[in-house]
Amino acid sequence: SQYQAGAFLNAVPSRRDFRIPTWALRIAVQRRLGLPLDEALARGAPTCSARGGKVQDPLGDAASNIGRLGHCGRHNSLLAALAKVMRSVWGMLVEVEPRDHGYSNDYRPDVSVAGAGRSRSRLVGDVKFKDPLSSNPEDVGQRGAFVGLGNTEPGTSADVFGLEQRGAVGDGDFRPSDGGGYVAYKKADYAHALSRSDTDVQMYLFETFGGWCNAVKRLFYQMKDKVRNKLSKRQHEDEASWSTRSWLSLQAQRMSVALQLAAAEEIATELRLAAASEDAAVA
């Protein structure tokens, strides 16, 4: 299991941020177990239509990958949860989608924190929320079955950090097994920020099944160390439960719940699940 992927299962729903509606918990657990989704079967999968002329599969892969509303909703929900965790440590130094980002003039970061990067540089974070599977089973990479984030991290890292050309076209495709083959040049999204000495660019990748990349793990350990893994008086009285007696357990469960809820909401919206629409209206 990937780091903190199952933290939501330990969350006690005594506080708002740790509550997962029954329909969302059912989707999350059935997806993790590789079971057909009750909601997808109720909608007639695999016969009902999805975007691009495809059909909704009973496992929810099409709904998670090619939903009609795109991925902005799940990304924004996860970003808001991460910003809340970061602000519990760095306060208003944390900027979310800053308007003034001259330190990264070719790409706006999702989150930025002055002095929180390496050698007290500016931390520039790009939050990615990817599904490791595909609406087309033939497109699912085999690497993800053996390596954590194997289907999402290589491509996402290439987008954020770019790639230097290696080898020649005649060398054939790149071979992860021995590092041989041809790799084409790819410009980094954060080329400007990466060229500066006063910025620390980090890719914070999450997967819809719950996994966090190592950069997210390092970020949480950095914040944990800054607060000595202790809850504040307000956190202890207003946020903690019997399963969250340390800062890390509290915030890891908060992020895990937010992640699973955001992923489930996207699937439920695509499948037009009534309970999800009612919950959204109440919220």
Side-chain angles (χ1 to χ4, degrees):
S1 181
Q2 296 172 0
Y3 182 70
Q4 299 293 359
F8 73 100
L9 297 171
N10 296 321
V12 178
S14 58
R15 313 287 188 182
R16 181 181 179 88
D17 284 358
F18 301 89
R19 293 173 187 163
I20 303 180
T22 300
W23 61 266
L25 184 60
R26 188 163 56 242
I27 289 175
V29 173
Q30 288 176 334
R31 288 272 288 169
R32 281 175 61 84
L33 295 177
L35 299 174
L37 305 183
D38 292 345
E39 284 70 20
L41 295 175
R43 292 292 301 172
T47 58
C48 59
S49 63
R51 192 176 70 177
K54 297 187 177 182
V55 297
Q56 296 288 3
D57 64 282
L59 299 178
D61 294 332
S64 183
N65 282 278
I66 55 172
R68 293 173 177 83
L69 297 182
H71 303 314
C72 287
R74 78 183 187 194
H75 174 272
N76 292 341
S77 296
L78 189 69
L79 175 57
L82 180 61
K84 184 173 184 178
V85 173
M86 295 174 72
R87 281 176 173 157
S88 75
V89 176
W90 288 300
M92 297 313 296
L93 288 175
V94 178
E95 300 177 74
V96 178
E97 297 182 337
R99 292 184 179 180
D100 182 12
H101 50 94
Y103 47 84
S104 179
N105 59 22
D106 49 3
Y107 210 86
R108 183 172 71 172
D110 287 312
V111 64
S112 175
V113 188
R118 294 190 185 96
S119 302
R120 300 191 64 80
S121 61
R122 175 178 289 275
L123 177 64
V124 177
D126 192 72
V127 177
K128 302 294 188 183
F129 194 8
K130 299 290 187 72
D131 191 289
L133 302 180
S134 170
S135 59
N136 183 359
E138 296 179 356
D139 294 336
V140 178
Q142 295 184 3
R143 191 168 188 264
F146 303 96
V147 180
L149 290 90
N151 287 351
T152 56
E153 192 163 29
T156 308
S157 178
D159 290 338
V160 175
F161 300 111
L163 292 172
E164 295 293 333
Q165 180 177 332
R166 286 188 289 168
V169 176
D171 294 339
D173 295 336
F174 173 68
R175 300 184 300 275
S177 59
D178 62 7
Y182 172 65
V183 176
Y185 168 79
K186 182 179 179 62
K187 182 182 178 182
D189 288 343
Y190 287 90
H192 176 232
L194 288 166
S195 70
R196 298 170 61 106
S197 61
D198 59 348
T199 55
D200 179 15
V201 179
Q202 294 292 329
M203 177 187 75
Y204 297 134
L205 173 63
F206 300 83
E207 284 191 347
T208 54
F209 285 90
W212 304 5
C213 73
N214 284 331
V216 179
K217 181 178 178 179
R218 289 194 300 269
L219 173 67
F220 270 67
Y221 271 74
Q222 177 186 357
M223 293 188 289
K224 179 199 74 169
D225 291 343
K226 190 170 180 63
V227 299
R228 299 181 180 179
N229 204 25
K230 293 182 179 180
L231 298 171
S232 67
K233 185 175 184 296
R234 183 187 62 79
Q235 289 172 334
H236 184 77
E237 293 178 349
D238 300 337
E239 301 178 26
S241 68
W242 59 264
S243 69
T244 54
R245 292 304 182 184
S246 68
W247 183 93
L248 183 60
S249 62
L250 176 75
Q251 305 299 1
Q253 287 184 22
R254 169 177 278 121
M255 279 302 303
S256 184
V257 168
L259 185 156
Q260 295 293 343
L261 188 54
E265 283 178 339
E266 181 177 49
I267 293 174
T269 299
E270 176 66 12
L271 297 178
R272 298 180 176 87
L273 180 61
S277 300
E278 292 170 2
D279 284 351
V282 171

